[in-house]
Amino acid sequence: DTEVTQTPKHLVMGMTNKKSLKCEQHMGHRAMYWYKQKAKKPPELMFVYSYEKLSINESVPSRFSPECPNSSLLNLHLHALQPEDSALYLCASSQDPGRVVGEAFFGQGTRLTVV
Amino acid sequence: DQQVKQNSPSLSVQEGRISILNCDYTNSMFDYFLWYKKYPAEGPTFLISISSIKDKNEDGRFTVFLNKSAKHLSLHIVPSQPGDSAVYFCAAHEDDKIIFGKGTRLHILP
């Protein structure tokens, strides 16, 4: 299994809603990432979890709250988002954080629209 | 300030010819470089990588060259095929981070 699975694929939410994005991998990877990608822009790093601990937060607003319940799962909790938060949210994983790790595997992404 | 730069937003190449995608970087602490390919509405897919201690890595039709003194790397695709039409992201790794360039859209012409 070399997949990173993200659910849902599409999500439309209002500015007062609370929702969660989910990411799962069963490759035994110990680093997991959340990226945000706007149209025609590169993926931008949001958070990094290393060995289930948050190691990097790229100054992301608190309306985005990551959670890593175990080594296979990564969630992104969303609350009081703004329309400009609409984007493709990508989850990725890689074998070992902080070392020469080779490639990171990406999920298909969740297309989020905030209305 | 962009640490990974892809200065060509798009590139058109005839099928069967060589595609050369370029990337420049500013941070000499990057220890690994990666190329990703992305189709619309999909996540990036890893293509090929190179360690900062190497100057070339080859995998089938894909070869990546690294010039550390110039802080420049390039991806060569030979021969180019229609399925290679996509956006190509150059990325660099340091500690726990992977930092992406803005991407180059490659069009393979029949």
Side-chain angles (χ1 to χ4, degrees), chain B residues 85-101:
Chain B
S85 293
V87 175
Y88 288 79
F89 289 102
C90 171
H93 176 269
E94 181 195 17
D95 296 331
D96 287 350
K97 295 186 184 185
I98 299 174
I99 299 167
F100 287 83

Side-chain angles (χ1 to χ4, degrees), chain A residues 4 10 15-16 29 31-32 57-58 64 83 86 115:
Chain A
V4 176
H10 300 274
M15 289 188 282
T16 58
H29 288 177
M32 295 186 77
N57 176 341
E58 292 286 288
F64 295 92
S86 299
V115 297

Side-chain angles (χ1 to χ4, degrees), chain B residues 13-17 19 37 39 61 77 79-86 88 106-110:
Chain B
V13 174
Q14 207 76 32
E15 182 179 354
R17 307 294 289 267
S19 296
K37 175 179 178 180
Y39 294 116
R61 296 187 298 117
I77 306 173
S80 300
Q81 297 175 355
D84 296 331
S85 293
Y88 288 79
L106 177 64
H107 301 272
I108 303 302
L109 306 171

Side-chain angles (χ1 to χ4, degrees), chain A residues 34-89:
Chain A
W34 280 114
Y35 282 84
K36 172 182 177 180
Q37 186 177 22
K38 303 279 273 185
K40 298 185 180 178
K41 299 275 189 182
E44 292 179 1
L45 183 65
M46 299 174 73
F47 302 104
V48 180
Y49 271 83
S50 300
Y51 297 101
E52 298 155 54
K53 290 190 183 342
L54 183 65
S55 62
I56 293 177
N57 176 341
E58 292 286 288
S59 303
V60 179
S62 60
R63 57 186 184 268
F64 295 92
S65 174
E67 178 198 17
C68 189
N70 60 54
S71 59
S72 299
L73 294 174
L74 185 66
N75 298 323
L76 186 63
H77 303 299
L78 314 171
H79 175 53
L81 294 194
Q82 303 296 313
E84 58 265 29
D85 296 321
S86 299
L88 181 69
Y89 287 83

Side-chain angles (χ1 to χ4, degrees), chain B residues 46-87:
Chain B
F46 170 76
L47 267 182
I48 191 169
S49 62
I50 187 167
S51 164
S52 60
I53 62 173
K54 301 258 175 96
D55 55 20
K56 179 182 174 182
N57 188 26
E58 192 172 351
D59 183 2
R61 296 187 298 117
F62 302 93
T63 303
V64 57
F65 295 92
L66 176 62
N67 182 335
K68 280 192 74 176
S69 60
K71 293 193 176 72
H72 176 83
L73 64 153
S74 60
L75 174 68
H76 293 215
I77 306 173
V78 181
S80 300
Q81 297 175 355
D84 296 331
S85 293
V87 175

